[in-house]
Amino acid sequence: MEYSLSGTEFINGKMFDSNGKLTHKTGNRFKLFPFVTHPNSVPVEDLSQLIGTYLCKIEDQKPVEITVADLVEKLKSETEIEAGQDALFYETVKQLFFDSEKQLRPLNLQMLSHISHKEVGEEKVADFLVDVLGEKENLKKLVSEAKQNEFNATNVFERLVLKYLLCDKEKKDDKIPYYRVVNAVTQ
């Protein structure tokens, strides 16, 4: 993607108001940075949601939400649980794979991609990172390989859980992509 801007377009464009004062309006001609005008309502304590959204954006997927009870019911169909051990099995799945907020623990990339964003700013930053950190098809290939390597190295119980973490295809939209100024950080 190439973009050129003449001095005249710069001065007479949408970057300056009628008084000649520089104004900030994102995405009028191209998108360079994911400016977020409203700060997050909740302080960022970890990057799991951002990274999970980033992984989903790379693969054009949207995770299907799953609860502890749904996962336990699906796992019961493939495992034998001794009579009277249902509550213990439920608690084990809950403690191993979910945090105190009933969100999946990010034990691997597939589980990490099921941690959805809570703030619009995180989605904008994820869009930015996908557009500027490399060619999307190459990123998709690398993420797929990494997920497969993790799957091969994981235990049987995690493999059963991963089997039930489903994603829907994210519909493509006609968003203006962020403009990559320097290719030095791409792979």
Side-chain angles (χ1 to χ4, degrees), residues 119-134:
E119 301 286 340
V120 175
E122 291 168 340
E123 185 170 11
K124 287 182 179 181
V125 172
D127 285 333
F128 170 75
L129 293 173
V130 170
D131 289 344
V132 301
L133 289 183

Side-chain angles (χ1 to χ4, degrees), residues 13-185:
K14 297 180 181 180
M15 296 178 77
F16 296 94
D17 64 12
S18 60
N19 298 327
K21 184 178 176 184
L22 183 66
T23 61
H24 172 68
K25 294 180 182 173
T26 60
N28 283 330
R29 298 199 37 114
F30 65 93
K31 291 166 92 176
L32 190 60
F33 296 112
F35 290 106
V36 180
T37 57
H38 302 288
N40 288 344
S41 60
V42 179
V44 176
E45 293 178 357
D46 71 60
L47 296 175
S48 299
Q49 295 162 351
L50 173 62
I51 296 169
T53 303
Y54 171 72
L55 292 171
C56 288
K57 297 271 181 192
I58 287 173
E59 297 183 303
D60 295 320
Q61 294 181 346
K62 183 175 182 161
V64 175
E65 200 170 315
I66 191 164
T67 64
V68 180
D70 292 340
L71 183 59
V72 167
E73 286 306 312
K74 290 176 181 183
L75 290 173
K76 280 183 182 180
S77 68
E78 291 204 34
T79 56
E80 291 182 26
I81 311 241
E82 290 182 24
Q85 298 298 314
D86 289 346
L88 178 61
F89 183 71
Y90 178 91
E91 196 59 35
T92 302
V93 171
K94 180 179 160 192
Q95 292 296 322
L96 287 175
F97 300 108
F98 292 86
D99 62 16
S100 60
E101 296 172 14
K102 298 182 181 177
Q103 187 170 340
L104 272 171
R105 292 185 190 278
L107 301 176
N108 57 45
L109 290 176
Q110 190 168 343
M111 289 179 181
L112 187 58
S113 66
H114 271 71
I115 299 175
S116 60
H117 63 279
K118 295 179 181 171
E119 301 286 340
V120 175
E122 291 168 340
E123 185 170 11
K124 287 182 179 181
V125 172
D127 285 333
F128 170 75
L129 293 173
V130 170
D131 289 344
V132 301
L133 289 183
E135 300 301 322
K136 190 168 183 178
E137 289 307 313
N138 188 40
L139 291 172
K140 192 181 282 192
K141 179 182 155 212
L142 292 171
V143 168
S144 178
E145 288 173 4
K147 281 185 174 183
Q148 187 59 48
N149 290 340
E150 278 187 340
F151 183 81
N152 293 340
T154 193
N155 63 53
V156 175
F157 200 26
E158 270 186 47
R159 285 184 188 190
L160 280 174
V161 170
L162 293 176
K163 180 178 175 180
Y164 294 109
L165 298 182
L166 305 175
C167 291
D168 291 333
K169 280 288 183 195
E170 182 84 295
K171 57 184 170 181
K172 300 260 183 178
D173 50 12
D174 295 331
K175 287 183 186 175
I176 299 171
Y178 286 95
Y179 181 71
R180 184 184 313 139
V181 177
V182 179
N183 286 323
V185 294

